[in-house]
Amino acid sequence: MEGAVWTVLLVAGSVLLAGWIGDARWSWLPGWIVGEIGWLPWAVGAVLAVLTVTESLWRYAVHRWELTGDVVYARSGWLSRDWVFVPVSRIQTVDKAQGWFERLLGLATVEIRTASHAGSSTIKGLDYGVAAGLAEALARRAEELRDDAT
């Protein structure tokens, strides 16, 4: 959805830019650019639409998470992949966050923090109920494991 919003904004900006360039008839621009500037919004829209759809499908295929009894597993990445295994016993805080766009769509982000930055993880785009349940389960399980260790 964020990609779609950015596509609309950038196409609108290219419409304004094309109108400005077309009306100004700038002498320093080659004539073929000024003559064909009306195609700019169409080209921007086509490229961004393809990128938005591709990114959405790619992220759906790549991003995964799983909670087992003692480990949180999260996989993410666009071109390179990151696999993060967070031992539940090392979790210090579990935060649930919602930006304005996530709130509009009923989604949330769960941030799992440990003492090590490398061991922390973020799981984005979860349904709000799933995020709330995951955060609660992680906090409860982390407390249980810490109590067992002392």
Side-chain angles (χ1 to χ4, degrees), residues 44-147:
V44 169
V47 168
L48 291 178
V50 168
L51 289 176
T52 298
V53 170
T54 302
E55 180 188 13
S56 299
L57 294 174
W58 190 271
R59 285 188 185 274
Y60 180 76
V62 171
H63 290 95
R64 296 282 183 262
W65 66 273
E66 181 180 354
L67 171 62
T68 64
D70 57 350
V71 175
V72 178
Y73 164 78
R75 181 178 74 180
S76 63
W78 178 239
L79 295 177
S80 60
R81 299 272 196 297
D82 292 324
W83 288 269
V84 178
F85 297 90
V86 180
V88 175
S89 61
R90 301 230 176 166
I91 294 175
Q92 291 187 333
T93 61
V94 180
D95 296 324
K96 182 178 55 190
Q98 276 187 309
W100 70 272
F101 201 65
E102 285 178 317
R103 197 168 48 248
L104 182 71
L105 298 173
L107 302 175
T109 297
V110 174
E111 297 174 3
I112 304 164
R113 296 202 177 108
T114 65
S116 166
H117 174 69
S120 300
S121 183
T122 300
I123 304 170
K124 296 181 179 183
L126 295 175
D127 179 78
Y128 183 80
V130 172
L134 177 62
E136 182 180 333
L138 280 173
R140 189 176 340 102
R141 186 70 181 133
E143 174 121 4
E144 289 170 2
L145 289 175
R146 270 195 299 276
D147 288 345

